[in-house]
Amino acid sequence: MDILIKEFMAKIESRNAHEPEFLQAVQEVAESIIPFIEANPKYKKHKILERIAEPERVISFRVPWMNDAGEIEINRGYRVQMNSAIGPYKGGLRFHPSVNQSILKFLAFEQVFKNSLTGLPMGGGKGGSDFDPKGKSDNEVMKFCQSFMTELYRHIHADIDIPAGDIGVGAREIGFLFGQYKRIQGEFTGVLTGKAAEYGGSLIRPEATGYGVVYFAEEMLKTRGESISGKTVVVSGSGNVAQYAVEKCIQVGAKVVTMSDSSGFIHDPAGIDTAKLAYIMELKNVRRGRIEEYAKKYGCDYFEGEKPWKIKCDIALPNATQNELDAPDALLLVQNGCFCIAEGANMPCTLEAVRIFDAARVLYAPGKASNAGGVAVSGLEMSQNSLRISWTRDEVDSRLRQIMHQIHEACVRNGRVDGDFVDYTRGANISGFIKVAEAMIAQGIV
Ligand code: NDP
């Protein structure tokens, strides 16, 4: 089997040299899907995995805009339309200086499996730009978003490709992007999700990814007769996903002791409570400040340039960015007694870190399963836009819970190995793959 995986990866590597994140994401999927394909030869005959690993379309474009000093700035925009076998392309936009084709292809590839897992009719895509919203005025962010959409609009539509937010793209950016799309196309449609509630957004969408991660962790803990209540939780990130993961942890009685940003992390042994979280939300979403300020305000430790994985915990929720948790971090977590890791970010754990979790037989959920709540509620936002209705908070939240429960069941169904141990990566990959593969076979060689 190892030889088959190596041969497959050699072909992918020759076509995608210099795209390490994309290769990492494909490798992780190949390791669980190739044995499955060998046992189910029809997928081999139709070359499904080879086709899934090739984007249907990659669009790259110039984004010129003028800053507040009257100087012209040039960024690069992208949209990767990965797979539309089971529905229109769906996936977020990321604005961050690190954005490149490799990162967006890895995110779009993961999105195909994730969207399939939700059970909703959504294909996979991802996009963004190397634009850095940090330190920019609202006016500059608006100018950039308008220029970005002036090209992107021709590639998207409510029935073709429906972007949403991701790192650096929150409610402010979605608003500017939506306004420009509406102005150019002259139509008010659900072409973006993550909109504010006043103009077609779904209640619970801002909360969905973070809440969903905690719902998924609860499902995993249940399989071991445990619950999240009373547990100590280490969280990385302090953006959208992290904030609402912490909110849900507080609601279910867990103690969250860390949060971070790209400069460092805070350790608050007393736990982040509702009032402290409100401070973080104001700090990050309104003032756009640094997490270090939390340590000054609440008199706790701040670790400049470090990640929170050395702090003793029961549960770890990596919620910041890809490859933020490597093998030494994984070892430290396991040695300190951490037994449940649920990814809120996409691919935050390296392949080597995941191998350490699997060898230690701890509960580990890949982002494509545990963070699927965000895109699931985006799917519900699309449904509400099409029906021109709005569901209540409780209705959306209960659908989100149900979807996370179903994703967990699918992972257990296809991921059970060695008696009781569940390999959630394998379960998520196989469950996501089957639906897309069957649709691709039915639709012929396209
Ligand atoms: P935000 O932009 O709201 O927050 C990102 C957080 O991660 C910030 O705290 C940021 O710190 C930190 N961060 C970003 N880049 C780095 C880096 N290179 N090193 C260390 N920390 C970093 O993004 P989201 O919360 O929306 O997204 C976080 C993760 O969750 C991403 O992997 C995203 O793909 C994934 N995700 C998001 C979904 C959503 O609905 N938003 C859905 C599913 C997955 P700083 O403030 O310093 O930049």
Side-chain angles (χ1 to χ4, degrees):
M1 201 56 69
D2 279 358
I3 293 175
L4 288 177
I5 295 168
K6 276 202 182 104
E7 282 174 3
F8 172 79
M9 284 310 299
K11 277 191 226 148
I12 300 290
E13 276 164 32
S14 70
R15 295 165 68 83
N16 302 281
H18 317 300
E19 295 191 348
E21 293 86 1
F22 177 62
L23 293 172
Q24 182 183 340
V26 177
Q27 170 89 31
E28 185 244 72
V29 167
E31 285 177 11
S32 38
I33 292 296
I34 289 180
F36 177 72
I37 290 175
E38 287 302 307
N40 298 273
K42 70 172 170 175
Y43 299 129
K44 192 170 183 175
K45 179 177 138 208
H46 288 279
K47 296 222 168 166
I48 298 297
L49 189 56
E50 289 83 346
R51 283 156 67 188
I52 290 182
E54 184 67 26
E56 288 179 17
R57 197 170 297 104
V58 177
I59 301 147
S60 153
F61 51 95
R62 180 174 67 204
V63 189
W65 57 282
M66 193 170 280
N67 68 22
D68 288 348
E71 293 155 0
I72 296 169
E73 303 228 15
I74 316 288
N75 286 100
R76 186 173 293 169
Y78 299 91
R79 187 71 184 162
V80 179
Q81 297 181 331
M82 200 76 192
N83 194 298
S84 59
I86 64 168
Y89 310 105
K90 180 91 197 87
L93 297 171
R94 177 177 291 190
F95 292 168
H96 193 270
S98 64
V99 162
N100 57 34
Q101 189 166 298
S102 171
I103 288 179
L104 294 179
K105 276 172 66 180
F106 116 64
L107 289 163
F109 181 76
E110 293 266 301
Q111 198 82 45
V112 174
F113 294 84
K114 183 190 307 189
N115 293 2
S116 171
L117 274 173
T118 65
L120 301 173
M122 301 181 289
K126 201 85 190 188
S129 172
D130 58 0
F131 173 74
D132 187 359
K134 254 191 228 126
K136 304 286 191 304
S137 69
D138 286 351
N139 182 56
E140 289 176 322
V141 171
M142 182 181 74
K143 290 269 178 59
F144 172 81
C145 287
Q146 290 178 343
S147 182
F148 183 83
M149 186 53 86
T150 301
E151 173 59 32
L152 186 68
Y153 88 94
R154 69 187 82 242
H155 308 291
I156 62 176
H157 183 269
D159 294 318
I160 296 172
D161 185 351
I162 308 94
D166 190 78
I167 290 178
V169 179
R172 173 182 62 168
E173 290 75 16
I174 292 290
F176 292 148
L177 291 164
F178 184 80
Q180 184 72 351
Y181 180 87
K182 182 165 64 71
R183 181 195 208 184
I184 296 173
Q185 286 288 45
E187 60 176 24
F188 195 116
T189 64
V191 67
L192 292 162
T193 59
K195 302 184 290 296
E198 296 77 21
Y199 64 94
S202 175
L203 296 173
I204 300 286
R205 176 60 189 92
E207 294 90 340
T209 309
Y211 279 17
V213 174
V214 178
Y215 294 156
F216 198 90
E218 279 187 313
E219 295 279 347
M220 291 201 294
L221 289 164
K222 240 190 268 170
T223 66
R224 298 202 177 172
E226 294 271 5
S227 109
I228 206 162
S229 172
K231 299 289 185 300
T232 299
V233 184
V234 159
V235 167
S236 68
S238 50
N240 171 267
V241 178
Q243 289 171 15
Y244 288 105
V246 172
E247 182 168 283
K248 186 52 71 178
C249 282
I250 296 169
Q251 285 172 12
V252 298
K255 181 158 106 172
V256 180
V257 294
T258 68
M259 287 182 85
S260 72
D261 60 21
S262 53
S263 308
F265 79 92
I266 55 105
H267 178 214
D268 185 348
I272 298 169
D273 60 19
T274 306
K276 292 172 177 175
L277 179 62
Y279 171 81
I280 288 175
M281 288 183 169
E282 197 268 337
L283 171 71
K284 284 290 171 183
N285 308 346
V286 182
R287 285 197 283 129
R288 299 182 190 272
R290 309 306 297 159
I291 198 77
E292 183 180 7
E293 294 178 46
Y294 177 101
K296 288 187 187 130
K297 179 159 173 75
Y298 293 107
C300 68
D301 288 334
Y302 170 68
F303 296 83
E304 174 81 25
E306 289 192 53
K307 297 176 290 180
W309 315 124
K310 64 180 182 184
I311 302 299
K312 192 171 161 48
C313 65
D314 305 302
I315 298 167
L317 304 177
N319 287 339
T321 194
Q322 65 274 357
N323 293 328
E324 58 165 315
L325 197 163
D326 59 17
D329 299 324
L331 268 178
L332 214 51
L333 280 169
V334 171
Q335 280 164 6
N336 282 337
C338 174
F339 66 95
C340 176
I341 302 97
E343 295 183 344
N346 286 307
M347 210 169 73
C349 301
T350 63
L351 286 169
E352 295 72 26
V354 175
R355 288 195 181 110
I356 289 165
F357 294 143
D358 286 346
R361 291 295 194 246
V362 294
L363 297 165
Y364 160 76
K368 60 172 79 89
S370 48
N371 73 30
V375 74
V377 173
S378 274
L380 301 180
E381 182 172 331
M382 288 161 65
S383 302
Q384 293 170 78
N385 291 166
S386 298
L387 295 167
R388 307 240 190 274
I389 56 169
S390 301
W391 294 327
T392 63
R393 274 183 79 82
D394 284 351
E395 185 156 7
V396 180
D397 194 30
S398 79
R399 284 177 196 257
L400 169 63
R401 269 180 198 273
Q402 183 59 24
I403 290 170
M404 297 316 292
H405 173 74
Q406 283 164 358
I407 294 174
H408 184 265
E409 289 207 319
C411 290
V412 171
R413 196 166 50 245
N414 287 310
R416 205 179 276 289
V417 286
D418 304 350
D420 264 358
F421 181 69
V422 178
D423 178 341
Y424 285 89
T425 307
R426 178 184 147 126
N429 286 337
I430 293 175
S431 310
F433 176 81
I434 292 171
K435 185 174 169 190
V436 176
E438 292 296 335
M440 288 175 75
I441 292 171
Q443 290 169 26
I445 305 167
V446 292

